[in-house]
């Protein structure tokens, strides 16, 4: 069990890491949630899932989980199990809110 405690800072850093990782790999949040067999593609659902990993093994357990997904994608297995996955309206609004929040943090006057 991890001695580190979950905090808002860890959660925010994890969200930024996931968003950057998805951008770098050309994947979507929806694809990540599908790979983890989550019922929703919303960020709160994803964070709650990874939070459970954190409590069972800390940051190394989360890293291991994300590496498993990366390996799954690299081996092309995502195409074999791909299902149709529709976001509901509230999920789309949640994603839009996250995009707006990210844009508000960018200093365009540089």
């Amino acid at each position: 069990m991890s001695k580190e405690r979950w905090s808002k800072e860890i959660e925010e850093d994890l969200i930024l890491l996931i968003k950057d990782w998805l951008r770098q790999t050309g994947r979507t949040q929806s694809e990540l949630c599908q790979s983890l067999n989550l019922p929703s593609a919303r960020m709160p659902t994803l964070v709650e899932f990874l939070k459970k990993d954190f409590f069972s093994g800390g940051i190394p357990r989360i890293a291991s989980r994300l590496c498993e997904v990366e390996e799954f994608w690299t081996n092309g297995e995502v195409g074999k199990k791909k299902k149709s996955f529709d976001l509901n309206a509230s999920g789309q609004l949640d994603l839009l809110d996250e995009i707006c929040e990210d844009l508000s943090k960018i200093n365009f006057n540089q």
Side-chain angles (χ1 to χ4, degrees):
M1 175 118 350
S2 173
K3 293 180 182 180
E4 196 171 9
R5 292 180 188 236
W6 185 261
S7 68
K8 190 69 176 164
E9 184 177 284
I10 289 174
E11 183 173 321
E12 290 169 358
D13 288 345
L14 180 60
I15 291 170
L16 290 174
L17 171 81
I18 289 169
K19 288 179 179 181
D20 188 49
W21 174 56
L22 291 173
R23 202 170 312 135
Q24 294 296 321
T25 60
R27 298 291 183 154
T28 65
Q29 188 173 314
S30 178
E31 288 175 296
L32 174 58
C33 291
Q34 281 178 339
S35 296
L36 295 171
N37 296 315
L38 297 178
S40 167
R42 296 176 65 197
M43 187 58 76
T45 302
L46 179 58
V47 168
E48 281 305 310
F49 178 81
L50 294 173
K51 194 178 199 181
K52 291 175 186 171
D53 278 345
F54 178 84
F55 289 126
S56 70
I59 296 295
R61 179 65 192 119
I62 292 174
S64 175
R65 173 80 67 189
L66 296 178
C67 286
E68 289 170 5
V69 170
E70 179 82 21
E71 185 176 342
F72 181 74
W73 288 342
T74 301
N75 292 332
E77 295 176 33
V78 75
K80 294 178 185 173
K81 294 182 123 183
K82 197 159 192 165
K83 305 173 197 169
S84 65
F85 193 84
D86 296 324
L87 289 175
N88 59 30
S90 65
Q92 291 173 345
L93 289 174
D94 190 41
L95 293 173
L96 183 58
D97 286 343
E98 290 175 25
I99 290 168
C100 290
E101 182 179 79
D102 287 347
L103 288 173
S104 71
K105 295 176 183 176
I106 298 172
N107 182 359
F108 290 103
N109 297 324
Q110 291 182 342

